[in-house]
């Protein structure tokens, strides 16, 4: 679909193959193109735009604009409603064509497919900006490296190429996150204010907030952008050590079982997190579970919530914690800035080449391995390194 959906939408279909299959035949119900000039599509002049219909007078007609763009392909533009598109696709299938997603169109190289897919997955203008930049600089630089490789293989000195590729690979995590939000996981014992803090960061009610400990049984994920960087805020189930309290999995009540399943998920999320926020409740004494979590996750950003409460008892004991109130919003802007600094301490300069898929990163890693080998084993084939570099952009 080339236009926004709705009444004004226009669909564009690109059809490849033996176009004579679309010529009307004897006994045909006419479920195909009939041009205003009366000629079948296989006899239309190339690049001439022809108005016509899909279907004959006996069947329901769809108004279409058609252009044969090559001997074996034509573009067809029709109303963008699902019914119109489906009907034309079905008629094409009945005549031996098959529907393929645009990613499989032969004119896209692997790099372009990845780029086109990535560009529609970006969520903010900031991430789109870095990706758009790759359109011009990425392939240009890799082509230069291929030329350089040819020149330098006589001296067997690949220091400059290696340094350039190492510079590119430095942006691996940054590049992979241009299309995938970073995962920020909030954890802490029940009722410390995890859901409330997510709401405070989002600025609107999204997660479930309740007074009862352990309410947040499922992971609640909200996607937002901080400073233009897409971020998933993930609220974990209250981390209560149920089985350690002498209860075996078999004797757990249904409610406890649900919560226990939530904890397994929470642990997985913590393992995969890009940043962990450990919350403690300033209005209560530190508990054994707080201490255990602090010990288990020393790298987590420590947040002391409920700074607004006058019964605040933890002020002195946790000097390193960021003090916030999910209720009043105190400290939230500072917290957001800290999250961004922790996640993206450094941004690439404009025109920096950034790998943005796992395939690209692993190709660069492989080239670097082979370049290093070539230093100790001069017989290493630079031809293979060149193939890998070409795969990066072809
Ligand atoms: P969770 O179980 O960790 O997700 O905790 P909730 O977000 O559900 O909050 C538990 C309770 O603490 C609710 O009654 C919230 O209104 C309250 N609460 C959360 N943050 C604050 C805060 O900063 N100040 C005060 N006074 N209450 C808060």
């Amino acid at each position: 679909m080339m236009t926004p959906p709705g009444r004004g939408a226009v669909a564009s279909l690109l059809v490849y193959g033996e176009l004579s299959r679309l010529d009307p035949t004897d006994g045909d119900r006419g479920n195909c193109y009939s041009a205003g000039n009366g000629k079948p599509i296989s006899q239309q002049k190339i690049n001439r735009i022809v108005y016509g219909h899909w279907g004959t007078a006996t069947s329901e007609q769809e108004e279409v604009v058609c252009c044969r763009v090559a001997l074996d392909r034509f573009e067809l533009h029709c109303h963008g409603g699902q019914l119109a598109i489906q009907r034309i696709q079905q008629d094409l299938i009945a005549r031996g064509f098959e529907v393929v997603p645009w990613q499989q169109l032969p004119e896209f190289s692997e790099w372009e497919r990845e780029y086109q897919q990535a560009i529609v997955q970006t969520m903010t203008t900031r991430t789109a900006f870095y990706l758009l930049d790759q359109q011009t600089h990425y392939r240009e630089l890799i082509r230069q490296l291929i030329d350089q490789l040819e020149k330098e293989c006589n001296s067997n000195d690949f220091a400059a190429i290696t340094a350039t590729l190492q510079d590119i690979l430095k942006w691996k995590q940054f590049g992979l996150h241009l299309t995938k939000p970073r995962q920020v996981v909030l954890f802490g014992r029940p009722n410390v204010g995890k859901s409330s803090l997510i709401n405070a960061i989002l600025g609107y009610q999204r997660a479930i907030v309740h007074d009862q400990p352990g309410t947040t049984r499922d992971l609640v994920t909200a996607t937002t952008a901080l400073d233009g960087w897409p971020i998933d805020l993930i609220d974990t189930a209250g981390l209560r050590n149920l089985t350690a309290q002498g209860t075996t999995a078999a004797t757990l009540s249904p409610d406890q079982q649900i919560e226990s399943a939530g904890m397994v998920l929470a642990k997985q999320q913590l393992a995969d997190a890009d940043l962990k926020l450990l919350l403690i409740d300033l209005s209560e004494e530190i508990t054994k579970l707080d201490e255990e979590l602090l010990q288990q996750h020393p790298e987590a950003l420590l947040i002391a919530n409920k700074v607004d409460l006058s019964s605040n008892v933890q002020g002195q004991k946790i000097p390193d914690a960021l003090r916030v109130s999910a209720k009043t919003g105190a400290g939230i802007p500072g917290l957001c800035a800290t999250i961004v600094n922790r996640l993206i301490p450094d941004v690439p300069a404009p025109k920096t080449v950034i790998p943005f898929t796992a395939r690209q990163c692993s190709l660069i890693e492989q080239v670097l391995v082979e370049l290093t080998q070539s230093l100790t084993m001069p017989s290493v084939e630079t031809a293979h390194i060149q193939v890998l570099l070409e795969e990066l952009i072809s």
Side-chain angles (χ1 to χ4, degrees):
M1 194 84 76
M2 306 298 282
T3 56
R7 284 168 68 90
V10 174
S12 295
L13 298 175
L14 191 55
V15 183
Y16 290 81
E18 181 49 65
L19 302 187
S20 60
R21 282 192 204 170
L22 287 166
D23 292 353
T25 52
D26 291 341
D28 190 32
R29 285 174 40 244
N31 290 331
C32 61
Y33 180 64
S34 73
N37 61 14
K39 290 186 192 159
I41 191 77
S42 60
Q43 286 166 34
Q44 296 290 348
K45 283 203 174 129
I46 291 185
N47 285 338
R48 172 173 291 181
I49 297 168
V50 199
Y51 174 77
H53 290 98
W54 194 270
T56 61
T58 50
S59 65
E60 255 195 43
Q61 288 190 337
E62 219 48 77
E63 290 189 11
V64 294
V65 174
C66 211
C67 183
R68 185 179 178 205
V69 288
L71 282 177
D72 62 346
R73 70 182 69 175
F74 71 97
E75 283 176 15
L76 182 146
H77 307 274
C78 65
H79 185 264
Q82 285 301 318
L83 279 179
I85 305 167
Q86 276 167 14
R87 179 254 173 107
I88 294 175
Q89 281 185 349
Q90 271 158 17
D91 290 344
L92 287 167
I93 291 166
R95 285 166 183 265
F97 289 86
E98 74 179 300
V99 178
V100 293
W102 65 265
Q103 290 91 335
Q104 286 170 22
L105 292 180
E107 52 258 73
F108 284 116
S109 71
E110 187 62 25
W111 190 91
E112 278 162 337
R113 251 190 290 278
E114 288 179 338
Y115 175 79
Q116 297 290 344
Q117 252 164 340
I119 204 80
V120 292
Q121 284 169 8
T122 54
M123 293 179 183
T124 64
T125 42
R126 192 159 193 186
T127 47
F129 166 81
Y130 283 104
L131 206 51
L132 284 167
D133 226 14
Q134 303 313 310
Q135 179 79 300
T136 32
H137 309 300
Y138 193 116
R139 285 178 291 180
E140 207 176 280
L141 181 75
I142 303 295
R143 270 190 207 108
Q144 280 171 16
L145 289 184
I146 294 171
D147 291 347
Q148 211 175 330
L149 184 77
E150 255 173 69
K151 282 186 206 134
E152 289 178 1
C153 66
N154 294 333
S155 60
N156 208 37
D157 175 9
F158 303 116
I161 300 178
T162 304
T164 308
L165 287 170
Q166 280 166 342
D167 276 350
I168 296 176
L169 206 57
K170 265 203 308 223
W171 300 108
K172 172 178 174 173
Q173 282 310 320
F174 184 90
L176 294 175
H177 279 115
L178 289 176
T179 50
K180 184 174 165 285
R182 290 171 173 82
Q183 312 279 296
V184 175
V185 178
L186 288 84
F187 69 113
R189 63 186 167 82
N191 249 11
V192 287
K194 297 180 292 296
S195 315
S196 308
L197 189 62
I198 289 188
N199 288 330
I201 295 174
L202 295 176
Y204 66 94
Q205 292 289 306
R206 168 71 168 69
I208 319 150
V209 180
H210 200 278
D211 276 338
Q212 205 64 35
T215 307
T216 318
R217 290 197 174 109
D218 290 318
L219 298 173
V220 179
T221 303
T223 305
T224 188
L226 297 180
D227 214 11
W229 306 112
I231 282 168
D232 280 343
L233 295 166
I234 299 163
D235 184 357
T236 54
L239 287 167
R240 280 191 296 175
N241 202 350
L242 288 174
T243 43
Q245 288 163 4
T247 324
T248 63
T251 59
L252 292 177
S253 72
D255 266 5
Q256 286 174 321
Q257 280 176 17
I258 293 171
E259 193 154 327
S260 161
M263 285 197 295
V264 173
L265 261 178
K267 283 183 180 155
Q268 186 55 51
Q269 287 288 354
L270 278 170
D272 298 342
D274 294 300
L275 178 65
K276 305 180 213 174
L277 306 187
L278 172 55
L279 269 76
I280 49 166
D281 186 339
L282 269 181
S283 67
E284 290 175 5
E285 292 289 349
I286 286 266
T287 66
K288 198 164 165 280
L289 180 54
D290 286 330
E291 275 170 2
E292 272 173 25
L293 292 174
L294 265 163
Q295 259 177 7
Q296 285 165 10
H297 303 276
E299 70 289 12
L301 185 61
L302 194 56
I303 318 263
N305 188 32
K306 309 195 186 177
V307 73
D308 59 294
L309 288 182
S310 52
S311 57
N312 177 343
V313 292
Q314 296 298 340
Q316 301 309 315
K317 288 189 194 160
I318 319 150
D320 287 346
L322 271 176
R323 294 156 65 86
V324 303
S325 168
K327 191 170 183 178
T328 65
I332 302 296
L335 168 62
C336 291
T338 309
I339 292 175
V340 170
N341 282 338
R342 281 276 196 115
L343 287 173
I344 307 120
D346 209 5
V347 292
K351 301 188 181 177
T352 300
V353 169
I354 302 165
F356 53 90
T357 66
R359 182 191 76 97
Q360 295 167 12
C361 294
S362 83
L363 278 170
I364 297 173
E365 278 158 356
Q366 216 176 320
V367 171
L368 281 169
V369 168
E370 295 196 16
L371 284 173
T372 314
Q373 285 170 351
S374 74
L375 295 178
T376 48
M377 294 182 283
S379 60
V380 164
E381 277 282 329
T382 53
H384 187 245
I385 298 176
Q386 185 172 337
V387 169
L388 293 173
L389 285 173
E390 267 159 12
E391 259 185 55
L392 254 182
I393 49 172
S394 58

